[in-house]
Amino acid sequence: MTKLEQIEKSVAELSPEDLKAFATWFEELQADMWDKQIEADAKTGRLDKLAAQALADHRAGRTRPL
């Protein structure tokens, strides 16, 4: 049995309360990982082209208020 299969089996056996707690923890983990990836991408300049295009679109009037 692979590690992933073991995790899946364990998660499937959780009580409803524990499953809810696990889901909350996992969502927070994913959000933290996303934040770190965005931060790393911003530091390395990977988002610069997208930001420049968004600003150009806004200046050209191709955006609308939220």
Side-chain angles (χ1 to χ4, degrees):
M1 183 179 289
T2 68
K3 190 172 189 176
L4 177 57
E5 290 170 334
Q6 291 172 348
I7 292 168
E8 289 172 345
K9 183 178 184 302
S10 294
V11 170
E13 294 173 352
L14 291 174
S15 69
E17 296 82 19
D18 286 343
L19 182 58
K20 184 176 178 181
F22 172 78
T24 299
W25 169 82
F26 191 70
E27 288 172 12
E28 290 171 0
L29 175 67
Q30 287 181 305
D32 186 51
M33 291 172 66
W34 172 259
D35 289 345
K36 288 178 182 176
Q37 183 64 55
I38 291 292
E39 185 177 321
D41 288 348
K43 285 181 182 177
T44 61
R46 287 188 182 148
L47 303 177
D48 291 354
K49 185 177 178 181
L50 293 172
Q53 183 62 51
L55 289 171
D57 286 344
H58 181 68
R59 288 185 191 114
R62 293 187 294 262
T63 61
R64 60 180 182 207
L66 295 176

